[in-house]
Short mmCIF file of all heavy atoms in Angstrom, two decimals:
data_model
loop_
_atom_site.label_atom_id
_atom_site.label_comp_id
_atom_site.label_asym_id
_atom_site.label_seq_id
_atom_site.Cartn_x
_atom_site.Cartn_y
_atom_site.Cartn_z
N ARG G 126 52.88 -28.10 34.91
CA ARG G 126 52.83 -29.57 34.84
C ARG G 126 51.45 -30.09 35.25
O ARG G 126 50.89 -30.97 34.60
CB ARG G 126 53.91 -30.20 35.72
CG ARG G 126 55.27 -30.32 35.06
CD ARG G 126 56.20 -31.25 35.82
NE ARG G 126 56.35 -30.90 37.23
CZ ARG G 126 57.19 -29.98 37.71
NH1 ARG G 126 57.96 -29.30 36.89
NH2 ARG G 126 57.25 -29.74 39.01
N LEU G 127 50.91 -29.53 36.33
CA LEU G 127 49.59 -29.96 36.79
C LEU G 127 48.52 -29.66 35.74
O LEU G 127 47.64 -30.50 35.49
CB LEU G 127 49.23 -29.28 38.12
CG LEU G 127 49.82 -29.93 39.35
CD1 LEU G 127 49.69 -29.01 40.56
CD2 LEU G 127 49.15 -31.28 39.62
N LEU G 128 48.58 -28.48 35.11
CA LEU G 128 47.61 -28.17 34.05
C LEU G 128 47.68 -29.21 32.94
O LEU G 128 46.64 -29.61 32.39
CB LEU G 128 47.85 -26.77 33.48
CG LEU G 128 47.35 -25.60 34.30
CD1 LEU G 128 47.73 -24.29 33.64
CD2 LEU G 128 45.84 -25.68 34.53
N GLY G 129 48.89 -29.66 32.61
CA GLY G 129 49.06 -30.69 31.59
C GLY G 129 48.41 -32.01 31.96
O GLY G 129 47.99 -32.78 31.10
N ARG G 130 48.31 -32.28 33.26
CA ARG G 130 47.66 -33.51 33.73
C ARG G 130 46.16 -33.34 33.90
O ARG G 130 45.41 -34.30 33.83
CB ARG G 130 48.29 -33.94 35.06
CG ARG G 130 49.75 -34.34 34.90
CD ARG G 130 50.40 -34.67 36.23
NE ARG G 130 49.73 -35.80 36.87
CZ ARG G 130 49.80 -36.06 38.17
NH1 ARG G 130 50.50 -35.27 38.97
NH2 ARG G 130 49.17 -37.10 38.68
N ILE G 131 45.71 -32.10 34.15
CA ILE G 131 44.29 -31.83 34.37
C ILE G 131 43.54 -31.70 33.05
O ILE G 131 42.49 -32.31 32.84
CB ILE G 131 44.10 -30.54 35.20
CG1 ILE G 131 44.66 -30.73 36.61
CG2 ILE G 131 42.65 -30.11 35.23
CD1 ILE G 131 44.82 -29.43 37.39
N LEU G 132 44.07 -30.87 32.15
CA LEU G 132 43.36 -30.53 30.91
C LEU G 132 43.66 -31.52 29.80
O LEU G 132 44.69 -32.20 29.80
CB LEU G 132 43.74 -29.11 30.49
CG LEU G 132 43.48 -28.02 31.54
CD1 LEU G 132 43.90 -26.65 30.99
CD2 LEU G 132 42.03 -28.00 31.99
N GLY G 133 42.76 -31.55 28.81
CA GLY G 133 42.94 -32.44 27.67
C GLY G 133 44.17 -32.11 26.85
O GLY G 133 44.88 -32.99 26.38
N SER G 134 44.44 -30.82 26.68
CA SER G 134 45.68 -30.37 26.04
C SER G 134 45.93 -28.92 26.45
O SER G 134 44.99 -28.16 26.72
CB SER G 134 45.61 -30.50 24.51
OG SER G 134 44.58 -29.71 23.97
N VAL G 135 47.22 -28.57 26.49
CA VAL G 135 47.64 -27.25 26.96
C VAL G 135 48.75 -26.75 26.04
O VAL G 135 49.73 -27.45 25.81
CB VAL G 135 48.19 -27.32 28.41
CG1 VAL G 135 48.64 -25.95 28.88
CG2 VAL G 135 47.15 -27.89 29.35
N GLY G 136 48.57 -25.52 25.53
CA GLY G 136 49.60 -24.90 24.71
C GLY G 136 50.72 -24.32 25.56
O GLY G 136 50.79 -24.55 26.76
N ARG G 137 51.57 -23.52 24.93
CA ARG G 137 52.69 -22.88 25.63
C ARG G 137 52.21 -21.69 26.45
O ARG G 137 51.26 -21.01 26.09
CB ARG G 137 53.74 -22.40 24.63
CG ARG G 137 54.50 -23.53 23.93
CD ARG G 137 55.32 -22.99 22.81
NE ARG G 137 54.34 -22.36 21.91
CZ ARG G 137 54.57 -21.45 21.01
NH1 ARG G 137 55.75 -21.01 20.82
NH2 ARG G 137 53.63 -20.95 20.28
N ASN G 138 52.90 -21.44 27.55
CA ASN G 138 52.71 -20.26 28.40
C ASN G 138 51.29 -20.10 28.97
O ASN G 138 50.73 -19.01 28.93
CB ASN G 138 53.09 -18.97 27.64
CG ASN G 138 54.48 -19.04 27.08
OD1 ASN G 138 55.40 -19.47 27.75
ND2 ASN G 138 54.62 -18.63 25.83
N PRO G 139 50.73 -21.15 29.54
CA PRO G 139 49.40 -21.00 30.14
C PRO G 139 49.51 -20.33 31.51
O PRO G 139 50.43 -20.60 32.27
CB PRO G 139 48.92 -22.44 30.29
CG PRO G 139 50.18 -23.21 30.54
CD PRO G 139 51.24 -22.52 29.69
#
Side-chain angles (χ1 to χ4, degrees):
R126 275 195 307 277
L127 279 166
L128 282 177
R130 295 176 61 201
I131 294 166
L132 304 180
S134 62
V135 179
R137 290 170 300 159
N138 306 316

